[in-house]
Amino acid sequence: MPLLALLTLIILISLFIVLYEKNAPFRDNPIGKRQFDLLKTYTKAEAALFYIDQSAKYSLQQAVYDLAQNGGVSELEFNDFETFSGSDCGSFNGAYVWYELRKDKTGYVENSCFDENILNTHLIYYFNTNLNDYLQLHPHNIPLNNYQYDVKDNLEIIAKAHEPLKFSILKIEINEEIRTNRLLKEPAKIVAEAATIQGNLKEFTSTPICAKGSRCILTDESFNQLIKAQEKAKQKGVSLEVYSSYRSQSKQEALWFGKTPENYAARYVDENIRRKYVCDPRNGEKSCPHMSGKVVDIRLRGKTTRTMMSSDWRLLHEIMTSKDEDNNPLWVRYANEPWHFECCNTPRYERAMRQGVTVIV
Amino acid sequence: MAKRKNKKGMGLTDFFSILAIALILVVMYSLLKIFVGQSTFELKGESSRVENIISTIGILRTPINIDGIDANIAELIAVSEFDSSKRTLLEKNLIELMDNSFGTSRCSVICIDENKIESSGCGTFQIYECPLDAVVISSYDKNIIRVAFAYDVKPLSPVRIP
């Protein structure tokens, strides 16, 4: 009988250990949780797709209105001071001229300025701008400028996505605001959230220093410089936000050859004029520094390029060009664009170093 | 010659052994109860959350004719933000939809931002809370509208004063 008591004790202790150990992982990930996470992610994605569908419907209605109101012409905004419509005759009293009658020595010269062939380009541009406004409002990070459009008869727009919508199934749900504040207070933690995608390229999309809807990729070295700049920004009580960074060869080619909503190729048929606004990818990184992964278009977090005041641009410049441990500027600025900064020995950065300046053409 | 067994002694050992086993069982059961706790994860709760979101999307996709134009409930919600005359139509349609799809014996609630619409199954003098999980839809003025739906909603303890 004592042997039986001892045996019972041993069996029950073993049972306790086994059950206790089984219970440990059970608390964090109970049976069925993964399956429900998958279902929840599916419903989130379904809701986001529904949101995109509805937004596209409203965007098209608004685009038709905008296009009609603007005389069938859309204006590309390069910055606060420069817009381009592509209309040869310009505007009169705020309305674009469709037909021009000019008098010269030989008499009256007629000029038809309204090009019906690129009407769809203008419509798509308006549509995409409106859609971006909607997508930016969605709580999930939906990529902007992510579609290639095709206009069918009777005002039907077919859109094909370049990048898929990404939803994390296993990510622990934490309050976005708490996460953002934590990361901005300790920029070093952003490094842990960035992922190496290929070679020396790091992707930091969905982190607080990447604008919502943008895909942010930089080289390792440039990314470290950006984190250093964010440290400086934190000291000044602000934060940085990258809205354009690395562009792949195919992305830059899409821009150049008119495969984006702006359709630069149709607006600027003459390549020499187009080069003023878009860089030619056939010359590689030399003419397109964004392709190097060492360039950012950046602004202060919480602002847009339209709402950035001159004092904001000055502060941004001060932060980005602050000195590193070797007394070199972290980044240098392209003189024609207050948002464009380069680092890490790009040709422009090296020229700026030789001349001892932080702003250079 | 074999030693005679002490019968009284054997009885005592047996008694203490059985007592020890009983004690061990009690102690081990208590330990298991204390240390091997229950999971806080509720399958029923999770299931109803997922169901509610799927139902909300279904409601929003429901086709409806607004002044001769084929649209859906999401568009009617967006229109009624600007056109107050469409609010009555929206409310009527949503109540009908909830009653037909989820029955009148249980209470279903749909909240459009702060505006709460209850099905016929909800008690007149009861207070019901808006569901937490919402689906976001776009409005005409480039804003977002939160739509949350839940069925079989239980009333809060205080009652409305008639």
Side-chain angles (χ1 to χ4, degrees):
Chain A
M1 196 53 99
L3 197 69
L4 186 69
L6 201 70
L7 214 68
T8 314
L9 186 69
I10 292 164
I11 290 167
L12 285 176
I13 286 173
S14 321
L15 191 70
F16 176 76
I17 292 165
V18 169
L19 282 177
Y20 187 77
E21 276 182 354
K22 269 189 186 285
N23 186 59
F26 204 75
R27 267 185 190 161
D28 295 334
N29 219 352
I31 293 168
K33 190 179 179 302
R34 285 272 165 92
Q35 286 75 3
F36 271 111
D37 285 344
L38 187 67
L39 274 172
K40 271 197 270 181
T41 312
Y42 162 75
T43 55
K44 267 188 204 171
E46 197 61 30
L49 287 176
F50 180 70
Y51 180 87
I52 296 171
D53 280 350
Q54 287 300 120
S55 302
K57 221 180 226 183
Y58 303 159
S59 299
L60 182 59
Q61 290 163 2
Q62 187 62 41
V64 172
Y65 176 83
D66 292 340
L67 190 67
Q69 198 187 37
N70 222 26
V73 177
S74 65
E75 290 172 343
L76 289 185
E77 266 185 44
F78 292 108
N79 55 47
D80 292 349
F81 321 104
E82 197 181 353
T83 56
F84 186 82
S85 64
S87 170
D88 294 337
C89 305
S91 60
F92 180 74
N93 274 351
Y96 280 98
V97 176
W98 285 13
Y99 192 77
E100 189 184 43
L101 198 61
R102 210 161 15 90
K103 196 179 177 186
D104 65 7
K105 286 171 194 169
T106 55
Y108 286 99
V109 180
E110 293 173 14
N111 187 17
S112 180
C113 312
F114 190 69
D115 184 0
E116 280 188 43
N117 293 326
I118 65 160
L119 201 58
N120 281 350
T121 298
H122 293 297
L123 178 74
I124 282 172
Y125 181 74
Y126 275 123
F127 172 78
N128 185 62
T129 310
N130 289 328
L131 186 63
N132 279 348
D133 290 343
Y134 276 115
L135 300 187
Q136 235 165 358
L137 290 168
H138 193 269
H140 185 72
N141 196 8
I142 301 175
L144 306 181
N145 301 311
N146 188 34
Y147 299 94
Q148 191 176 336
Y149 302 105
D150 192 14
V151 181
K152 297 271 177 204
D153 301 331
N154 202 17
L155 266 187
E156 190 185 351
I157 293 186
I158 310 286
K160 284 180 197 157
H162 297 295
E163 299 283 335
L165 268 180
K166 285 179 188 165
F167 289 86
S168 174
I169 300 166
L170 301 176
K171 200 170 156 189
I172 302 160
E173 277 181 38
I174 56 162
N175 186 302
E176 194 55 34
E177 205 179 318
I178 296 170
R179 174 183 165 261
T180 303
N181 289 339
R182 197 187 66 202
L183 290 173
L184 290 175
K185 271 182 194 161
E186 293 174 73
K189 285 190 175 166
I190 298 172
V191 181
E193 296 227 346
T196 304
I197 49 166
Q198 63 179 72
N200 68 338
L201 290 177
K202 269 230 156 90
E203 177 161 6
F204 56 102
T205 311
S206 299
T207 66
I209 53 168
C210 179
K212 207 166 165 235
S214 300
R215 193 167 181 210
C216 296
I217 299 167
L218 285 175
T219 62
D220 279 339
E221 194 188 354
S222 318
F223 180 62
N224 290 336
Q225 295 292 89
L226 181 68
I227 296 296
K228 283 178 193 168
Q230 173 55 31
E231 289 280 3
K232 304 272 180 191
K234 191 186 83 182
Q235 288 163 17
K236 306 253 181 208
V238 288
S239 280
L240 303 173
E241 190 175 73
V242 173
Y243 62 93
S244 181
S245 51
Y246 168 72
R247 281 181 210 149
S248 62
Q249 177 83 22
S250 57
K251 202 173 175 185
Q252 194 62 49
E253 277 173 5
L255 272 169
W256 178 257
F257 292 112
K259 302 265 169 63
T260 61
E262 294 88 356
N263 200 347
Y264 291 105
R267 286 174 191 261
Y268 315 106
V269 182
D270 184 344
E271 288 193 354
N272 290 322
I273 300 173
R274 203 188 312 165
R275 248 177 229 113
K276 250 182 88 182
Y277 302 98
V278 201
C279 65
D280 187 347
R282 289 169 294 192
N283 298 330
E285 287 178 28
K286 223 175 177 184
S287 63
C288 298
H290 272 286
M291 285 167 67
S292 68
K294 297 170 182 175
V295 175
V296 287
D297 287 346
I298 196 165
R299 60 190 173 214
L300 296 182
R301 194 178 150 81
K303 304 253 177 184
T304 65
T305 38
R306 280 183 212 167
T307 58
M308 284 281 286
M309 311 294 282
S310 44
S311 56
D312 295 327
W313 289 121
R314 274 200 300 276
L315 178 62
L316 178 72
H317 174 88
E318 195 186 316
I319 292 165
M320 291 297 281
T321 58
S322 48
K323 299 279 196 289
D324 64 7
E325 49 277 11
D326 299 326
N327 213 29
N328 289 324
L330 291 171
W331 299 78
V332 297
R333 181 164 73 78
Y334 172 43
N336 293 341
E337 296 175 352
W339 52 83
H340 180 112
F341 289 86
E342 300 187 13
C343 78
C344 319
N345 304 324
T346 62
R348 187 170 276 135
Y349 184 91
E350 284 191 335
R351 265 193 294 122
M353 285 301 92
R354 280 198 296 275
Q355 293 175 28
V357 292
T358 54
V359 184
I360 192 162
V361 181
Chain B
M1 206 177 126
K3 218 177 173 182
R4 275 185 67 192
K5 282 181 182 174
N6 186 341
K7 278 188 180 173
K8 202 181 169 185
M10 275 291 282
L12 255 176
T13 318
D14 286 350
F15 172 74
F16 282 116
S17 297
I18 290 162
L19 196 71
I21 291 171
L23 260 172
I24 290 162
L25 282 171
V26 170
V27 170
M28 293 310 279
Y29 179 75
S30 313
L31 280 174
L32 277 168
K33 268 281 182 196
I34 295 163
F35 291 105
V36 185
Q38 280 188 335
S39 164
T40 52
F41 183 77
E42 263 185 58
L43 281 177
K44 200 184 162 192
E46 290 298 306
S47 154
S48 68
R49 279 181 70 184
V50 172
E51 269 176 43
N52 284 338
I53 296 282
I54 294 170
S55 302
T56 315
I57 299 169
I59 290 171
L60 293 169
R61 280 202 173 125
T62 307
I64 188 168
N65 192 286
I66 314 170
D67 299 336
I69 299 163
D70 287 332
N72 59 27
I73 292 286
E75 280 163 77
L76 182 58
I77 291 171
V79 172
S80 65
E81 290 263 302
F82 294 96
D83 187 352
S84 55
S85 67
K86 295 286 180 292
R87 277 179 207 156
T88 326
L89 178 72
L90 172 70
E91 205 163 303
K92 187 179 149 276
N93 273 287
L94 283 176
I95 293 172
E96 252 177 42
L97 201 61
M98 288 192 283
D99 286 352
N100 293 340
S101 311
F102 303 97
T104 48
S105 56
R106 287 171 180 176
C107 173
S108 306
V109 173
I110 191 160
C111 287
I112 301 161
D113 284 334
E114 302 300 311
N115 184 21
K116 188 165 44 178
I117 297 161
E118 296 168 358
S119 73
S120 310
C122 302
T124 319
F125 302 120
Q126 302 282 6
I127 296 171
Y128 297 92
E129 260 189 327
C130 273
L132 290 173
D133 297 308
V135 170
V136 168
I137 59 166
S138 39
S139 75
Y140 280 117
D141 61 347
K142 291 182 184 170
N143 245 315
I144 54 166
I145 306 167
R146 290 177 179 278
V147 183
F149 166 79
Y151 86 105
D152 199 12
V153 186
K154 300 282 172 265
L156 293 173
S157 29
V159 290
R160 277 189 196 128
I161 299 160

